[in-house]
Amino acid sequence: MRQLSGSDAWFLYSDKAGQHQHISTIYIYDQSTAPGGTVRFKSILNHVRERLGSSRIFRQKLVDVPLNIDYPYWIEDPHFQLEFHVRHIALPQPGDWRQFCIQVSRLHSRPLDMTRPVWEMYVIEGLDNIPFLPQNAFAVVTKVHHAAIDDATGDDFTIALHDLPAGSDVPRKALHWHPESEPGALQLLALAWFNNTTKLLESIQTLCDKLPVVGKRSIDPDDLLHRSEEKAPETRFDREITPHRVWDARFFALRDIDAITASVPGASRNETVTAICSGAARRYLDARDETPETSLWALLPIHVQAPGDRETPGHRVQLTRMRIMSDIDDPLARLQAVVQEAARAREHSLSANEVNEMQEVLPSTTMTLAARTIAARFGPGRRYRENHNMVISITPGPEQPLYLCGARLVAFTGMSIILDNLALSHTVTTYDGELSIAAVSDRKIMPDPGFYADCLQIAFEELQAAVGGQAV
């Protein structure tokens, strides 16, 4: 039995109808590399069954403490059924990319069953009419609640599901797991009394430790909401969302991204990607005559890892708020301005360590109230989101080919969450020499996700042309 960390509990308490806190990962495979050139659903099912011991996400479910007076616990599900979690579907004919995007969006829109291990996996075949994919390609879409995803220890499906190339000298541990009995109410209440007493003392100590620093820094409470900074302009993405999602993605060669990056002193991949997203948003809003005169603002969750943190559960995410310079028309000048803005924004980013420290010592009832306040339609949470127009989440992925039942992974991308007044989110991932930018939004706010994906492609091509960066 393992208690949910404070940082992970935040995602659990933020979950509400129509704004579910799960993320999806999309894997696409070339099954011609598998033995016999075919991968059967039964083979995938057996493959997952053999890997159940390799990730806690597979088997552990949440047990709530009575009256929610403490953080829930993870236990090994005594009634685990693999067939409930792994499902098999197919696209209708002709099986094109638009149909695939619609299917993925629908799957992402549905809530997870929180009484079971908080994940689902869909094997999707019928991708028969997608020119940039190999013949007979199939996809796997996983959905996992954010509370179960451990950024610190890397306990995720990508590592658990896949094999490295044949002949790799990296061994895979053969781990076993055993179901647990659900704890009784008295046991949970006794643990809650001890934990809340301890956390109350720890939170007092933490605040006392911070007081001398706070006195020197003259911090305005409004700074946490970024209300003292320039307000983001209002766009169509700053509205209340529905439960329905739309999604699309584009893929780029990393060598082309790096060629653009190398052309601007001080730039990194993060700034290049931010400039591409900026150009896409500008083009999309231009087409509707809705482009504001001032720059859009983005929230960038940067996944960080401190030495010695590998065994510490929870999320280590540094939040950076920055202008994406969408008010600049020239693509190269926009990238150069993004580089300068990113340097400024990093000086004012919210420390991952400080946020995590406070989350770990807050009692459950306090965390619940805080999370619901941030997620609320009115109040501080809404004012915080109104100071951002979009999210750009950049997460490096595997650098070498991966395989599932012998089928080579050829495309790897994802889909994150959106919220009221923050209805556009980009998930940026890298894999084996390729970078993907996937955008998710609300169906009512963005009825044409394919056009937005085209805007991403055009923004990349304009930036590449501006720096003279042709593929090497």
Side-chain angles (χ1 to χ4, degrees):
M1 190 168 73
R2 177 175 60 95
Q3 191 168 31
L4 198 67
S5 69
S7 54
D8 291 334
W10 179 272
F11 295 104
L12 184 66
Y13 298 146
S14 300
D15 204 313
K16 68 176 186 177
Q19 296 188 31
H20 306 294
Q21 299 290 310
H22 60 252
I23 67 171
S24 295
T25 305
I26 296 91
Y27 310 95
I28 303 178
Y29 302 91
D30 177 7
Q31 63 178 325
S32 68
T33 64
T38 302
V39 177
R40 303 294 184 189
F41 175 71
K42 184 177 180 180
S43 299
I44 296 176
L45 202 62
N46 289 334
H47 177 85
V48 176
R49 184 176 288 110
E50 293 173 356
R51 302 298 175 93
L52 292 178
S54 62
S55 173
R56 295 176 299 195
I57 296 174
F58 281 123
R59 310 107 40 191
Q60 294 192 342
K61 75 168 190 173
L62 288 165
V63 176
D64 291 329
V65 175
L67 305 178
N68 288 321
I69 61 173
D70 198 5
Y71 297 146
Y73 286 84
W74 295 108
I75 68 166
E76 305 286 355
D77 186 5
H79 307 294
F80 179 78
Q81 291 182 325
L82 180 61
E83 289 77 5
F84 173 83
H85 296 274
V86 184
R87 306 168 188 183
H88 188 197
I89 58 178
L91 295 181
Q93 292 296 325
D96 58 25
W97 180 252
R98 177 177 175 274
Q99 289 174 311
F100 180 70
C101 293
I102 291 172
Q103 182 62 263
V104 171
S105 301
R106 288 172 177 169
L107 294 176
H108 188 74
S109 299
R110 301 170 187 169
L112 290 165
D113 185 342
M114 301 300 289
T115 66
R116 298 173 180 263
V118 289
W119 66 278
E120 294 173 355
M121 175 175 168
Y122 295 84
V123 179
I124 306 177
E125 58 179 327
L127 284 67
D128 300 327
N129 193 28
I130 303 177
F132 62 88
L133 294 181
Q135 288 293 317
N136 298 319
F138 71 94
V140 168
V141 176
T142 61
K143 290 170 53 178
V144 187
H145 199 282
H146 223 312
I149 299 173
D150 198 333
D151 290 333
T153 61
D155 190 15
D156 64 24
F157 274 2
T158 302
I159 296 172
L161 279 178
H162 294 91
D163 293 311
L164 294 171
S168 171
D169 58 358
V170 180
R172 177 177 292 278
K173 295 181 180 179
L175 302 177
H176 301 282
W177 70 284
H178 303 281
E180 293 181 83
S181 299
E182 295 198 20
L186 291 179
Q187 178 186 358
L188 292 171
L189 289 171
L191 288 171
W193 177 84
F194 175 80
N195 290 336
N196 283 325
T197 302
T198 302
K199 286 173 182 175
L200 178 60
L201 297 175
E202 289 177 346
S203 61
I204 293 174
Q205 182 62 51
T206 299
L207 289 173
C208 290
D209 292 343
K210 297 292 182 184
L211 282 177
V213 179
V214 171
K216 295 176 183 178
R217 290 166 59 184
S218 183
I219 295 178
D220 186 338
D222 278 353
D223 287 347
L224 294 175
L225 303 177
H226 296 293
R227 293 169 62 191
S228 59
E229 298 182 14
E230 179 183 337
K231 183 175 172 60
E234 184 174 351
T235 70
R236 64 170 47 233
F237 306 119
D238 308 293
R239 301 175 186 171
E240 184 177 355
I241 64 174
T242 73
H244 308 293
R245 303 290 174 263
V246 291
W247 174 89
D248 207 330
R250 289 294 181 268
F251 302 87
F252 310 96
L254 265 178
R255 65 175 181 271
D256 294 338
I257 298 292
D258 289 343
I260 294 172
T261 303
S263 68
V264 177
S268 70
R269 283 181 188 170
N270 288 3
E271 281 84 64
T272 300
V273 168
T274 300
I276 292 172
C277 294
S278 173
R282 176 188 173 97
R283 175 172 289 273
Y284 186 85
L285 294 174
D286 273 347
R288 287 151 183 77
D289 196 25
E290 297 175 1
T291 307
E293 294 182 359
T294 58
S295 174
L296 303 179
W297 287 78
L299 181 66
L300 279 73
I302 306 298
H303 297 258
V304 297
Q305 187 70 57
D309 274 355
R310 294 298 298 174
E311 300 303 324
T312 305
H315 295 263
R316 303 293 186 274
V317 179
Q318 181 172 305
L319 298 178
T320 300
R321 177 185 187 249
M322 62 176 285
R323 293 175 296 173
I324 60 173
M325 317 314 288
S326 58
D327 54 331
I328 298 176
D329 181 58
D330 179 75
L332 180 56
R334 186 187 307 130
L335 174 56
Q336 292 168 336
V338 165
V339 172
Q340 295 177 354
E341 170 67 7
R344 181 206 65 81
R346 279 192 292 269
E347 296 179 359
H348 302 282
S349 62
L350 200 56
S351 165
N353 289 333
E354 290 184 357
V355 172
N356 188 71
E357 182 179 0
M358 289 306 301
Q359 287 175 330
E360 294 306 316
V361 300
L362 286 176
S364 173
T365 49
T366 305
M367 180 66 81
T368 304
L369 178 61
R372 289 176 179 172
T373 299
I374 292 297
R377 183 177 175 186
F378 300 102
R382 178 174 182 176
R383 291 197 296 273
Y384 179 81
R385 294 193 303 275
E386 285 177 342
N387 276 327
H388 309 88
N389 303 108
M390 66 179 68
V391 174
I392 305 174
S393 179
I394 304 172
T395 307
E399 297 180 356
Q400 56 186 318
L402 299 179
Y403 294 82
L404 174 69
C405 297
R408 186 180 187 277
L409 179 64
V410 295
F412 169 62
T413 184
M415 186 187 317
S416 188
I417 61 175
I418 57 173
L419 301 167
D420 286 339
N421 306 109
L422 195 55
L424 176 60
S425 181
H426 304 82
T427 299
V428 183
T429 54
T430 59
Y431 164 68
D432 190 28
E434 192 171 67
L435 180 142
S436 69
I437 305 178
V440 60
S441 187
D442 176 83
R443 188 169 69 189
K444 186 175 181 180
I445 292 173
M446 183 185 283
D448 47 359
F451 174 62
Y452 188 83
D454 290 341
C455 291
L456 286 169
Q457 182 70 42
I458 295 171
F460 161 76
E461 292 171 354
E462 288 179 341
L463 187 55
Q464 187 181 51
V467 302
Q470 301 301 318
V472 178

